Amino acid sequence: MEGDRLKKALLTGVGAAAPTRILTNYDFEKMVDTSDEWIVTRTGIRERHVVEDGMVGTDLALEASRQALREAELSADELDLILLGTVTPDFIVPSSACILQKKIGATKAAAMDVVAGCTGFIYGLATANAFIRSGMYENILVIGVEVLSKLTDYKDRNTCVLFGDAAGAVVVQAAPPDEKRGILSAFLAADGNLANLLHVPMGGTVDPLTPANFERRGQYIKMAGNEVFKSAVREMGEAATLALEKAGCSPDELTLLIPHQANIRIIEATAKRLGLPMEKVYVNIDRYGNTSSASVPLALWEARREGKVKDGDLVLLVAFGAGFTWGSVLVRL
Ligand code: ACO
């Protein structure tokens, strides 16, 4: 982007939150026909956090957002826009972004949900980048939050071991065009032909929730795991490569790759495609499972807290998810 006179979008604050209740692989051994050994070997997951009854996504989003705003030294009423990635909103109507806008007191902010499966946060961040570069907004809060435990069928061993609940948030602020830090490139893609590989069949207008329908357990996530796996490996590789290409960067310039945490084998395949050693890849799937939209900002928050990345470092965020959707953001922190 040499000679680019548009504003830069700078990440000035990061926050995250996870519920305290933990379900381990051993807990699942008591619920379905599975084993710790199978789950660890096939997915890399050891435990995941799940909400207690009564806690909703915007509670987690509020905690993560407050942290991000504190770090950015910005008050909620200075926000212009809230973009909230989720597939597990508090309500179907209105958006969780509006619920959060009220909870956090962002009185001047426009607010909308971004529904893009596990790519929801990346879609939100790329959208924030576009709003800032266009000059329309200066201060944007981007969140990824999920309470997937509410859409998980704890009788289905194919899916129930995979998912967890969490939130992550970043504050994105406008900076002058000559700023060296900030978002360097973003790439988004989608393919609706793959919609049936991962979906919640009921609860929309095609098959509304009715008492008679519940017996089919269609209110829960259904997934063709192996097909999802194959397409995820392809899409994560493409997204990672294209964001780097767009910015004219090579993989060895990266301080850290922060991939969506869906399966350790998908993460390893993405690292291999980029020729990156696993020391340069952030992994926390063992402790959280797949937290969908929350996974990338949660991992970014942890990586910063652990000192694995600091201001000035080049970091590639990449995700795929239901839809299918995939995307990436290359950022100099
Ligand atoms: N414990 C024990 N056995 C199991 C379990 C389990 N928890 N789950 C499945 N199996 C069995 C299957 O029933 C099957 O048995 P069979 O051969 O007797 O039929 C066998 O294990 C192999 O099943 P596969 O599906 O081929 O196993 P695979 O190696 O593909 O691993 C997994 C399954 C972990 C789901 C993998 O396919 C995967 O991670 N896929 C991607 C999932 C993903 O990323 N989803 C998130 C998408 S993003 C979003 O928007 C939410």
Side-chain angles (χ1 to χ4, degrees), residues 84-156:
L84 185 147
T86 194
V87 294
T88 49
D90 292 9
F91 305 99
I92 291 177
V93 179
S95 70
S96 281
C98 282
I99 306 288
L100 181 69
Q101 190 246 23
K102 183 205 173 250
K103 282 189 178 177
I104 206 164
T107 44
K108 299 194 198 81
M112 66 174 166
D113 283 2
V114 181
V115 185
C118 301
T119 323
F121 174 78
I122 297 287
Y123 263 65
L125 194 55
T127 306
N129 184 42
F131 269 118
I132 282 178
R133 288 173 62 71
S134 75
M136 185 156 170
Y137 290 133
E138 300 260 305
N139 302 319
I140 302 180
L141 178 64
V142 184
I143 302 130
V145 56
E146 304 291 358
V147 281
L148 286 169
S149 57
K150 301 286 181 199
L151 290 187
T152 298
D153 184 349
Y154 287 101
K155 291 189 169 163
D156 176 9

Side-chain angles (χ1 to χ4, degrees), residues 34 38 42 118 157-158 198 223 225-226 262-263 265 290 322:
T34 191
W38 191 96
R42 303 311 294 163
C118 301
R157 72 173 183 175
N158 292 297
L198 199 170
M223 184 179 68
N226 207 265
N263 185 312
R265 294 179 292 137
N290 179 349

